[in-house]
Amino acid sequence: MSEKYYKLLRYIISGGIAATVNIFLLYLLTEFFDFWYLSSAIISFIVAFIFSFILQKFWTFGDKTSVETHKQLAMYLAVAIINLGINTLFIYSLVEYTEIWYIFAQIISGATIALYSF
């Protein structure tokens, strides 16, 4: 298998780990710490963003340099902030207007954003 396919596999695994962190924290903060589901969604999205950036930079793309990290982080963060807004709006709409469980709403939102971002 070529390096291109290994990189795609690492990209998918990294995204899966970040998505798992997101869903786990969303559930933990909402169910055990009584955070409002949208507050939990924002916090979990931010934590998952950090996991995703680190995994993508150092593992998926094998970029061990730190010279351009602040620029890479700024660009990645700009996209993430837009996605956070979309994610929060999407979850709110699904939960409040269609009465979907907030975890399922996050899964739908996350999958939609992942497809859109790819």
Side-chain angles (χ1 to χ4, degrees):
M1 196 182 299
S2 73
E3 178 60 27
K4 174 173 72 171
Y5 293 110
Y6 282 120
K7 192 176 286 187
L8 177 61
L9 182 61
R10 289 190 301 263
Y11 178 81
I12 291 168
I13 291 170
S14 296
I17 291 170
T20 301
V21 166
N22 191 346
I23 298 295
F24 175 76
L25 278 177
L26 174 62
Y27 183 78
L28 183 72
L29 291 171
T30 304
E31 296 299 323
F32 293 98
F33 291 97
D34 292 327
F35 280 51
W36 183 38
Y37 74 93
L38 285 181
S39 298
S40 298
I42 291 168
I43 294 167
S44 63
F45 190 97
I46 292 167
V47 173
F49 161 80
I50 293 166
F51 270 82
S52 179
F53 179 78
I54 291 169
L55 285 171
Q56 298 297 354
K57 177 175 174 51
F58 296 109
W59 187 57
T60 301
F61 298 106
D63 184 357
K64 307 290 190 239
T65 65
S66 61
V67 176
E68 297 290 322
T69 301
H70 65 284
K71 290 180 184 176
Q72 293 166 339
L73 181 60
M75 289 176 21
Y76 200 69
L77 183 59
V79 171
I81 288 171
I82 293 166
N83 287 345
L84 175 59
I86 294 167
N87 185 67
T88 305
L89 181 62
F90 202 14
I91 290 173
Y92 178 81
S93 298
L94 288 172
V95 171
E96 298 299 324
Y97 299 117
T98 65
E99 299 180 2
I100 291 177
W101 184 40
Y102 70 96
I103 294 293
F104 191 54
Q106 176 59 58
I107 292 168
I108 293 169
S109 179
T112 303
I113 290 171
L115 290 172
Y116 149 81
S117 295
F118 185 72

